[in-house]
Amino acid sequence: MTGTLDTTSPNRVVLVTGGAGYIGSHACKLLAQQGFTPVTFDSLTTGWAQAVKFGPLVQADLLDRAALDAAFAEYQPCAVMHFAALSQVGEATRDPGLYWRNNVCGSLNLIEAMTAAGCRNIVFSSTCATYGDQDGVVLDEDSPQRPLNAYGASKLAVEGILRDFGVSHGLNSVIFRYFNVAGADPEAEVGEWHQPETHLIPVMIEAVAGARPALTIHGNDYPTHDGTCIRDYVHVMDLARAHVLGLDWLLNARGSRVFNLGTGVGFSVAEVIAQCRAGTGHRVPHSFGPRRAGDAAALVSGSRRAVEELGWTQERSSLKLMIEDAWRWYKLGGYSG
Amino acid sequence: MTGTLDTTSPNRVVLVTGGAGYIGSHACKLLAQQGFTPVTFDSLTTGWAQAVKFGPLVQADLLDRAALDAAFAEYQPCAVMHFAALSQVGEATRDPGLYWRNNVCGSLNLIEAMTAAGCRNIVFSSTCATYGDQDGVVLDEDSPQRPLNAYGASKLAVEGILRDFGVSHGLNSVIFRYFNVAGADPEAEVGEWHQPETHLIPVMIEAVAGARPALTIHGNDYPTHDGTCIRDYVHVMDLARAHVLGLDWLLNARGSRVFNLGTGVGFSVAEVIAQCRAGTGHRVPHSFGPRRAGDAAALVSGSRRAVEELGWTQERSSLKLMIEDAWRWYKLGGYSG
């Protein structure tokens, strides 16, 4: 960690929405290591109480404005890290209202509550899904944003709210557009645990372990070299580290900035299957099915800005390492124990 | 009116949100002339009870889901025309939360209520402000959308919700992106009446009439031929006619389509002042002030699609005629009488 955190700040509390979720819980671990107190604000609709290990939990929903106001009054955070969101493309396509309400109206509640409480720093989890399908081009932060589904559209709308409150209320924001997040805390204190699981690598691992039938690959007729979708996988601990650097930037520099977070290297689903065999030592049972609505053919991150401006480095950028960390976490039982 | 409206439809009721407002009230008049029953759903926050002359009024807010459900249950409309929105760029820039909540969360309520009630046809008032600033290019419906303020961003978000519900729920939608609307019903049954007034032509008319001090032109250093902002003005009756044609298209063809509505001719603010003198016979007292945040230099509509696909014709596309109609309405006292 190369950041020079502002240790003169009177309050090192960070409100972490979705802190009981996959990425949020890893960020909480790193925040605690850096001397912050992460206060998790999470409805536990998709998060896990067992994942909240590094600070207190406020169990409440972003649509509950009174609960937000109470949390800001009690903890007086110097910043917010906003991870809480619904994030399944398939569900978003079937039930877009759920996504617009939870992700957009919920985020609006949060942003209004924080500005009302005088908290003006936020790190926001956005997504490469805001770019939509750009035919395999490496995407930088100025690439056009044309989301293909309600998940991406809802995240893009929140980016707009943050920009607007930057103008009106002096809200400082760091927006991270994640590419595909993978892996787990190598110390296995926290990890990825969704119910149901829809992310590719843990689904493969469940199939390897016999905990689910062979997995179905959604489409092998995309315009990519082997017909399967290409994604850029970034390790969750590297991603969490970027968040602490983003917080550092906010607390010292202030302003608003967007950063892509990925490795810059794309892997097709077929290549991930091969790496999964290498990482677990087992074949991945799979078959091919039709495309899923709302999926882009290829999404690869240009992440130079985070490297140059935040000093971000990746310690676990190997896909095999991500799979090994995820496999270790799975074998230890995740949050099921 | 060249449309071939589906007269076999069992219910010719159209729920008109914002029917007590400027454009909504003109659309209600035309709907009634075409044999529809316009049911106005309006909070009267910015609308006028006196403008509701052509059908019943439900006085309620879009954020009140129960009131929406009750209105759909009582009137069982075959379609919705959705005009209700906050629409002032200056206010949107100062208080973006108000715009995101009312325009986006409110529209989400409406769309969820209508799909829950089985109503699957909607004509939506969007705006050229979704395009942002494009350096004087004539904009067509495929121009990139990069809104400059929370008003445009909130309308763009609603376009996204409609697109998503088209996929998930088979919602049919006609999205009209308005350029600058002007004029009034030539028969002066309804007209433009805002409090406070911020639209250029009625503000000029109030200045002509001595009802306000000389008007301030926001910026004369834009990259246009005379330094003032260029806009495309479309007559409110022509706009209302497009809505009935859009409803016709929805009830007969179904699907989703976006149409720009403008004349294709831009006028600078200085040119509007000259036309206002021609239309009212009086000089317009004015001075120049600084630019207003969020304003694009020039916005001119390419509206060929509405002409070709909807058979839209404009009967009052002369700016002088728009000003004459607005002036007549003003002299009759608007809704103040």
Side-chain angles (χ1 to χ4, degrees):
Chain A
M1 190 66 46
T2 58
T4 53
L5 290 162
D6 179 7
T7 51
T8 64
S9 174
N11 191 336
R12 308 254 302 164
V13 173
V14 177
L15 190 79
V16 183
T17 76
Y22 174 35
I23 305 167
S25 60
H26 289 77
C28 285
K29 175 168 179 166
L30 232 55
L31 282 169
Q33 286 180 352
Q34 295 292 317
F36 288 95
T37 301
V39 175
T40 290
F41 188 100
D42 200 302
S43 68
L44 301 185
T45 306
T46 58
W48 301 92
Q50 303 98 296
V52 184
K53 299 181 170 175
F54 312 102
L57 167 67
V58 177
Q59 188 182 343
D61 197 289
L62 291 177
L63 293 172
D64 180 351
R65 171 66 190 267
L68 281 164
D69 288 339
F72 280 101
E74 180 171 358
Y75 293 103
Q76 302 186 24
C78 64
V80 170
M81 284 194 185
H82 178 29
F83 297 95
L86 297 173
S87 61
Q88 295 184 33
V89 168
E91 181 184 58
T93 304
R94 286 191 305 278
D95 191 355
L98 199 62
Y99 278 66
W100 283 95
R101 186 166 305 283
N102 278 276
N103 293 1
V104 180
C105 302
S107 295
L108 178 60
N109 266 358
L110 170 67
I111 293 162
E112 291 193 326
M114 68 181 285
T115 51
C119 178
R120 296 218 147 60
N121 302 301
I122 182 168
V123 180
F124 173 58
S125 302
S126 188
T127 168
C128 63
T130 61
Y131 294 118
D133 199 347
Q134 314 250 353
D135 291 331
V137 176
V138 173
L139 302 169
D140 69 23
E141 292 83 354
D142 298 320
S143 296
Q145 292 178 286
R146 293 184 291 253
L148 297 181
N149 54 61
Y151 169 61
S154 69
K155 289 286 190 176
L156 180 59
V158 178
E159 290 192 10
I161 297 174
L162 292 173
R163 178 202 56 220
D164 294 337
F165 274 80
V167 173
S168 64
H169 290 76
L171 181 66
N172 305 300
S173 61
V174 163
I175 293 172
F176 287 124
R177 296 190 189 131
Y178 305 165
F179 285 65
N180 283 45
V181 189
D185 172 20
E187 297 165 358
E189 283 194 283
V190 287
E192 180 163 21
W193 206 253
H194 295 110
Q195 214 140 30
E197 186 56 70
T198 62
H199 287 177
L200 185 62
I201 289 171
V203 162
M204 283 187 187
I205 282 173
E206 288 181 13
V208 161
R212 69 160 66 213
L215 85 151
T216 303
I217 309 303
H218 301 298
N220 59 350
D221 58 349
Y222 282 96
T224 61
H225 65 279
D226 61 19
T228 62
C229 285
I230 290 175
R231 293 291 182 273
D232 182 339
Y233 296 85
V234 58
H235 196 290
V236 65
M237 290 306 293
D238 288 333
L239 196 81
R241 188 172 318 103
H243 284 70
V244 181
L245 292 169
L247 175 62
D248 179 5
W249 185 93
L250 275 182
L251 295 179
N252 286 289
R254 299 180 184 273
S256 295
R257 199 74 172 133
V258 177
F259 301 94
N260 282 350
L261 294 179
T263 62
V265 179
F267 288 87
S268 73
V269 175
E271 290 166 343
V272 177
I273 289 174
Q275 290 287 316
C276 205
R277 180 168 191 177
T280 66
H282 299 281
R283 288 195 60 232
V284 179
H286 66 276
S287 62
F288 292 97
R291 292 186 185 192
R292 186 175 61 177
D295 274 337
L299 292 168
V300 178
S301 171
S303 305
R304 195 180 313 173
R305 186 185 286 177
V307 173
E308 291 178 354
E309 299 186 17
L310 297 180
W312 186 45
T313 55
Q314 296 182 58
E315 296 176 359
R316 306 182 82 75
S317 64
S318 136
L319 181 58
K320 183 156 168 282
L321 213 49
M322 298 180 209
I323 290 166
E324 286 170 354
D325 289 341
W327 179 232
R328 180 185 313 110
W329 165 253
Y330 181 82
K331 285 189 294 184
L332 287 170
Y335 298 129
S336 66
Chain B
M1 191 65 47
T2 57
T4 52
L5 289 163
D6 177 8
T7 51
T8 64
S9 173
N11 191 335
R12 309 253 304 162
V13 173
V14 177
L15 190 79
V16 183
T17 76
Y22 173 35
I23 304 167
S25 61
H26 289 77
C28 285
K29 175 168 178 166
L30 232 54
L31 281 170
Q33 285 179 353
Q34 295 292 317
F36 288 94
T37 301
V39 174
T40 290
F41 187 100
D42 200 302
S43 67
L44 301 185
T45 306
T46 57
W48 301 92
Q50 305 96 299
V52 184
K53 297 180 170 176
F54 312 101
L57 167 67
V58 177
Q59 187 181 345
D61 196 288
L62 291 177
L63 292 172
D64 181 351
R65 171 67 190 266
L68 280 164
D69 288 339
F72 279 101
E74 179 171 0
Y75 293 104
Q76 301 187 23
C78 64
V80 170
M81 284 192 184
H82 177 29
F83 296 96
L86 297 174
S87 61
Q88 294 183 34
V89 168
E91 181 183 57
T93 304
R94 285 191 306 278
D95 192 354
L98 199 62
Y99 278 66
W100 283 96
R101 187 167 304 284
N102 278 276
N103 294 1
V104 179
C105 302
S107 294
L108 178 60
N109 265 358
L110 170 67
I111 292 162
E112 290 194 326
M114 68 182 286
T115 51
C119 178
R120 296 217 147 60
N121 302 301
I122 182 167
V123 180
F124 173 58
S125 302
S126 188
T127 167
C128 63
T130 61
Y131 294 118
D133 199 346
Q134 315 251 352
D135 292 331
V137 176
V138 174
L139 302 169
D140 68 24
E141 292 83 354
D142 298 319
S143 296
Q145 291 178 286
R146 293 184 290 252
L148 296 182
N149 54 60
Y151 169 60
S154 69
K155 289 286 191 177
L156 180 58
V158 178
E159 291 193 10
I161 298 174
L162 292 174
R163 179 202 56 219
D164 294 336
F165 274 80
V167 174
S168 63
H169 290 75
L171 182 66
N172 305 299
S173 61
V174 163
I175 293 171
F176 286 124
R177 295 191 190 131
Y178 305 166
F179 286 64
N180 282 44
V181 189
D185 171 19
E187 297 165 357
E189 283 193 282
V190 286
E192 180 164 21
W193 205 253
H194 294 112
Q195 212 136 31
E197 186 57 69
T198 62
H199 287 176
L200 185 63
I201 290 171
V203 162
M204 284 188 184
I205 282 173
E206 288 181 12
V208 161
R212 68 159 68 211
L215 84 151
T216 303
I217 309 302
H218 302 298
N220 59 351
D221 58 349
Y222 282 96
T224 61
H225 66 278
D226 61 18
T228 62
C229 286
I230 290 176
R231 294 290 182 273
D232 181 339
Y233 296 85
V234 58
H235 196 290
V236 64
M237 289 306 291
D238 288 332
L239 196 80
R241 189 173 319 100
H243 283 71
V244 181
L245 292 170
L247 175 62
D248 179 4
W249 185 92
L250 274 182
L251 295 179
N252 286 288
R254 300 180 182 275
S256 295
R257 200 76 172 131
V258 177
F259 300 94
N260 282 349
L261 294 179
T263 62
V265 179
F267 288 87
S268 73
V269 175
E271 289 166 342
V272 177
I273 290 174
Q275 290 287 317
C276 204
R277 180 168 192 175
T280 67
H282 300 280
R283 287 195 61 232
V284 179
H286 65 276
S287 62
F288 292 97
R291 291 186 186 194
R292 185 174 61 174
D295 274 338
L299 291 167
V300 178
S301 171
S303 305
R304 195 181 311 172
R305 185 185 286 179
V307 172
E308 290 178 355
E309 299 185 18
L310 298 180
W312 186 44
T313 55
Q314 296 183 59
E315 295 177 0
R316 306 183 81 76
S317 65
S318 137
L319 181 59
K320 182 155 170 281
L321 212 51
M322 298 180 210
I323 290 165
E324 287 170 355
D325 290 341
W327 179 233
R328 180 186 313 111
W329 165 252
Y330 181 83
K331 285 189 294 185
L332 287 170
Y335 298 129
S336 66

